[in-house]
Every structure is written in C-alpha cells, then in structure tokens.
Amino acid sequence: MNTLVRRSLLAAASTALVGGTMLTSPAQAFTSSSSVYVGGTNYYVKAYSCNSYWSSCSWNAETSMSNSKNFVHRGDVKANGISVSLTISADSGAGITGNSTSLATAKESGYGRYNYMSGVARPSVFSISVAARSRLDTAAADPSSGWTTW
C-alpha cells in the first residue's frame, strides 16, 4: 500500500472516530427550578433542556404541588440565535402553539398534584441553543422556572 493511500485511510478513520465520538457523546443539559409556598400549599416547577445537540434536543417541564389543585401547566421552548425557529413535539395530552417560530409552547390543563411534559425540539440550522421553562397557573399561585439557558 503506498503512503498516499495509507494516509487517506488513516485520515478517514480518524474523522470517523472523532465524528462518531461527537455524535455519541452525552449531551450537555441545563435545568432551572423554582418553588413558592402560598396558602398552605408548596408549588414547585422545573424545566430541562439539552444545550449540545446535532439536529434535535430533548426538553421537559414538570410541576408539583403539595395539595391537589386545578392547574394550567405550560412548557415553553425557544431557540436562541439570529433568524431562528423551532418545531417541538410533546406528550399526546399537550396542545402545542407557536411551532415554526422562535418560541413554542406545550400546554396541559388538569386537576391534581403533579404534571410532566416532555418532547423533542428541532431548531433551525442558525440556532445557537435551545432553552425551556416551566410555568404553572393556579388560582392561588403562578410560579415559573427561569429559562434553562439564555
């Protein structure tokens, strides 16, 4: 095997190894949470999003209350960058608004002590990062987590 062919094969193998490592390495994740105590009930909200991704990013939003309440839970997901947009998916019980914009929202209403939504964000090629936040609306309190990234 001549030197040129050997170098080409080594370069291809190195690229495949590095590329494979980059694609299979665990994504970096960010979380943000908040809690408030109002009228004998503790309200807690939390959001999660990955920040390093190839073409899509997982996100989730959860909320819990120490007492059962009627609630509206919103999971907001946004793409950060210039002239960006994203499309999100969410659990089957969630309604989604804002797909193909820079901010999409999944919304669930119900009664109880806990709600969890999750999905996948597919940002446009110009996106720098994906951020999520969790918002809870009840008659007594409206806590919100911060954004998981700027």
Side-chain angles (χ1 to χ4, degrees):
M1 190 180 302
N2 72 30
T3 305
L4 182 57
V5 171
R6 194 174 305 152
R7 284 185 186 165
S8 296
L9 289 174
L10 285 173
S14 297
T15 301
L17 180 61
V18 170
T21 302
M22 288 173 57
L23 292 176
T24 60
S25 63
Q28 186 178 16
F30 290 98
T31 61
S32 179
S33 62
S34 178
S35 65
V36 63
Y37 185 80
V38 176
T41 302
N42 189 36
Y43 300 87
Y44 174 77
V45 289
K46 180 180 176 183
Y48 158 93
S49 71
C50 71
N51 193 40
S52 298
Y53 53 89
W54 181 251
S55 64
S56 64
C57 178
S58 297
W59 68 272
N60 67 51
E62 76 177 276
T63 184
S64 64
M65 299 164 278
S66 58
N67 299 310
S68 293
K69 303 279 184 187
N70 286 314
F71 66 85
V72 176
H73 182 208
R74 290 176 179 85
D76 298 324
V77 183
K78 71 175 179 173
N80 297 309
I82 298 171
S83 298
V84 297
S85 66
L86 83 162
T87 301
I88 66 169
S89 67
D91 300 332
S92 60
I96 297 175
T97 58
N99 268 344
S100 299
T101 67
S102 62
L103 174 66
T105 299
K107 175 181 165 184
E108 290 185 3
S109 300
Y111 178 83
R113 297 176 58 177
Y114 181 77
N115 186 257
Y116 178 85
M117 292 184 274
S118 65
V120 175
R122 290 178 180 78
S124 64
V125 68
F126 300 111
S127 299
I128 297 169
S129 67
V130 171
R133 77 175 169 192
S134 181
R135 295 185 292 151
L136 176 64
D137 296 329
T138 68
D142 302 327
S144 175
S145 71
W147 287 103
T148 54
T149 62
W150 61 274

